[in-house]
Amino acid sequence: MSVDFDYAAIWDKVLQSFRNEIGATSFDIWFPQVTYNTFRHDKLYIMVPNTLTLEWIESRYLEALQNNFRDLSKQNISLILITEPIVEKDGYISPLNSKYTFNTFVVGNSNRFAHAACYAVGEAPARAYNPLFIYGGVGLGKTHLMHAIAHRILANNPSFSVKYVSSEQFTNELISAIKDDSTPAFRNKYRNIDVLLIDDIQFLAGKERTQEEFFHTFNTLYEANKQVVISSDRPPRNIPTLEDRLRSRFEWGLITDIQIPDLETRIAILRKKAQNEDLNVPYDVLDYIANYIDNNIRELEGALVRLVAFATINKRPLNMETATEALKDILPPPRPKKITIECIQKEVCKFYGLNLTELLSKKRNKQLVYPRQIAMFLCRKLTDASFPLIGDQFGGRDHTTVMHSVDKIEKEKLESQELMATLEKLRKQLDPN
């Protein structure tokens, strides 16, 4: 390969032709700040201004851009999008994502223990949990936590040699080393480091030579008191055709899992991503996305990226109408809001300036009885709850008390415009549609 190859010039030509392919409007939105950064080891690093742009180009345009670049350069080159300039240290380009830190990781019930374990390893490598084995489904944050560990270790120990690699890359490098008769160099690279983080270890299943090499690499590092962090989509005992001696070593340390995030965590993830991109996205839009995408954080964030791109290109506001249209191919229409007894109680308390304890109490002063009767009336009219169930949810009252309240409000609303207006206002608050 010629060392004088002008990759920047080729990239400029790719952009010029690509503008014609996708149209000036889309190009001017996504590509004004997309620039060539550097070329290393058959990889062309392209700078983009933020993660929103990175994710949009990666999902829509990257394959076409890469193919165009290969056609012009006549070389099998991979395009890598980055948000910060590549910094080379001792001839090695770090694959760590600068955005994947503990500060940007949203902690919830589904990942709290895994986060705590990873943070402990980041603070005290080889002294907290060694090895650390993280498992969970696709797109739940395993890679984010592994990068965060590496960033924290390097921040606290700048002289440490930290190596993050996927099992696929480890395998490919081993194959190349065997082919080139350079296995000593390969072993030196992976066995003389302070921290090894290897992602998606399940892909070593069935690869006997790679498992053999990793077994000895693991032993060397562990015996030298060096930290090893491993991730997988399943626990060690469930990885098929994994050698027992490897499985047992993975179980020497701490095994922690990441579960599917609950609704509150999914909304928090979307809110944090919006904040990081300086976007003002209404809560109901975040709630809409989070309610339908419940098992993959990448897809969750991808839906937000798609919405923002749609709104930007079409000059539309970020609201429910835009969200429904932008995401119609991947999300169903918004579900009607389900009205519950709890929702009604909270809304009535808010309307009358009460707290829930007062509303459900045994007190019978007029300031409490009337709002309580209105709440019971709305529960009967707007939910499928029976009289006994409503009574039970209002401090264990008898069903006849609920029946009396419903009858009373039913009669009074026919004679009072003010009460009619109050009931309608509360109904609209509970169900805007």
Side-chain angles (χ1 to χ4, degrees):
M1 184 183 293
S2 171
V3 294
D4 297 323
F5 221 97
D6 194 344
Y7 295 104
I10 297 176
W11 175 248
D12 287 340
K13 290 179 181 178
V14 168
L15 287 182
Q16 289 169 18
S17 64
F18 203 64
R19 181 186 177 91
N20 297 327
E21 283 187 40
I22 66 172
T25 301
S26 294
F27 186 90
D28 291 344
I29 288 171
W30 298 108
F31 287 90
Q33 299 180 62
V34 176
T35 58
Y36 168 85
N37 177 243
T38 190
F39 176 82
R40 294 288 187 278
H41 310 301
D42 293 329
K43 291 182 175 64
L44 190 79
Y45 292 88
I46 302 299
M47 275 280 293
V48 296
N50 50 53
T51 54
L52 182 68
T53 304
L54 184 150
E55 289 167 3
W56 184 254
I57 293 176
E58 197 167 59
S59 63
R60 291 300 184 94
Y61 305 130
L62 185 60
E63 185 177 355
L65 288 166
Q66 184 168 267
N67 289 338
N68 289 356
F69 195 93
R70 288 175 177 177
D71 288 343
L72 285 175
S73 66
K74 308 300 181 187
Q75 296 175 17
N76 189 28
I77 286 171
S78 298
L79 260 61
I80 309 295
L81 303 181
I82 55 175
T83 55
E84 293 183 3
I86 286 292
V87 177
E88 189 166 336
K89 181 181 178 182
D90 299 328
Y92 170 65
I93 294 176
S94 171
L96 297 177
N97 187 327
S98 62
K99 306 296 182 184
Y100 286 174
T101 67
F102 286 119
N103 288 336
T104 59
F105 189 83
V106 177
V107 181
N109 293 330
S110 59
N111 58 30
R112 195 177 307 279
F113 182 66
H115 172 268
C118 291
Y119 190 88
V121 169
E123 288 293 308
R127 298 198 304 275
Y129 308 110
N130 194 26
L132 175 64
F133 191 102
I134 313 162
Y135 73 92
V138 175
L140 295 183
K142 302 186 299 296
T143 299
H144 188 142
L145 282 176
M146 294 187 82
H147 285 228
I149 291 171
H151 284 304
R152 180 54 60 96
I153 291 174
L154 288 170
N156 293 339
N157 310 276
S159 63
F160 268 34
S161 174
V162 177
K163 179 74 174 171
Y164 167 85
V165 66
S166 68
S167 64
E168 182 182 16
Q169 183 182 339
F170 184 87
T171 302
N172 290 339
E173 288 186 24
L174 175 60
I175 292 170
S176 296
I178 294 170
K179 184 181 69 174
D180 299 337
D181 197 24
S182 59
T183 49
F186 172 86
R187 289 167 182 163
N188 182 63
K189 176 180 179 179
Y190 282 101
R191 299 182 189 181
N192 290 295
I193 55 178
D194 297 294
V195 181
L196 174 62
L197 305 103
I198 185 160
D199 216 346
D200 292 325
I201 199 72
Q202 72 273 8
F203 291 123
L204 292 191
K207 299 182 175 74
E208 293 180 9
R209 178 63 192 272
T210 308
Q211 288 190 40
E212 174 80 17
E213 194 64 40
F214 185 72
F215 173 78
H216 293 296
T217 298
F218 180 98
N219 281 348
T220 300
L221 292 173
Y222 186 83
E223 289 167 5
N225 198 33
K226 306 300 183 182
Q227 179 70 51
V228 179
V229 182
I230 304 157
S231 85
S232 173
D233 64 353
R234 67 203 77 177
R237 65 179 180 274
N238 292 344
I239 300 176
T241 65
L242 184 70
E243 292 183 8
D244 287 339
R245 58 179 182 171
L246 265 182
R247 185 179 288 110
S248 67
R249 276 158 177 74
F250 293 165
E251 294 173 347
W252 280 354
L254 177 68
I255 299 175
T256 180
D257 69 324
I258 302 178
Q259 300 288 337
I260 293 172
D262 54 27
L263 177 62
E264 290 76 15
T265 304
R266 297 197 300 273
I267 293 173
I269 289 167
L270 289 173
R271 183 184 288 122
K272 187 147 197 170
K273 184 168 184 64
Q275 288 173 347
N276 289 342
E277 303 296 339
D278 293 323
L279 299 171
N280 184 20
V281 185
Y283 179 85
D284 60 339
V285 173
L286 301 180
D287 182 70
Y288 167 50
I289 297 172
N291 261 293
Y292 283 105
I293 301 178
D294 57 7
N295 62 359
N296 190 308
I297 294 171
R298 288 178 200 155
E299 291 180 4
L300 187 73
E301 295 182 336
L304 181 61
V305 170
R306 179 171 179 161
L307 166 59
V308 173
F310 179 87
T312 303
I313 292 170
N314 295 287
K315 296 181 172 57
R316 297 273 294 275
L318 283 171
N319 56 27
M320 275 301 296
E321 183 181 355
T322 304
T324 304
E325 186 175 350
L327 305 175
K328 62 185 177 183
D329 294 336
I330 58 174
L331 301 184
R335 288 183 285 226
K337 183 179 178 182
K338 184 178 179 181
I339 300 174
T340 63
I341 292 175
E342 184 182 7
C343 290
I344 292 170
Q345 290 171 337
K346 288 181 178 178
E347 199 59 50
V348 170
C349 284
K350 182 179 172 183
F351 186 84
Y352 285 102
L354 306 173
N355 63 53
L356 188 58
T357 304
E358 291 175 321
L359 187 74
L360 304 184
S361 70
K362 301 297 183 183
K363 296 179 183 177
R364 296 192 50 79
N365 49 308
K366 187 177 180 181
Q367 291 82 0
L368 295 177
V369 170
Y370 195 56
R372 190 181 296 140
Q373 290 173 335
I374 286 177
M376 290 179 177
F377 173 83
L378 290 171
C379 287
R380 183 61 182 168
K381 297 298 179 182
L382 301 180
T383 76
D384 296 328
S386 63
F387 288 119
L389 179 58
I390 296 170
D392 185 61
Q393 296 294 306
F394 277 80
R397 286 178 163 77
D398 189 79
H399 72 280
T400 56
T401 303
V402 181
M403 294 173 67
H404 169 74
S405 298
V406 172
D407 289 342
K408 181 174 183 292
I409 299 300
E410 188 74 65
K411 290 175 184 175
E412 287 188 12
K413 75 184 180 73
L414 299 176
E415 302 168 1
S416 171
Q417 290 294 324
E418 183 180 352
L419 177 56
M420 282 282 284
T422 296
L423 292 172
E424 181 60 18
K425 186 171 183 179
L426 284 166
R427 188 196 66 77
K428 285 186 176 179
Q429 288 290 104
L430 289 160
D431 183 12
N433 300 316

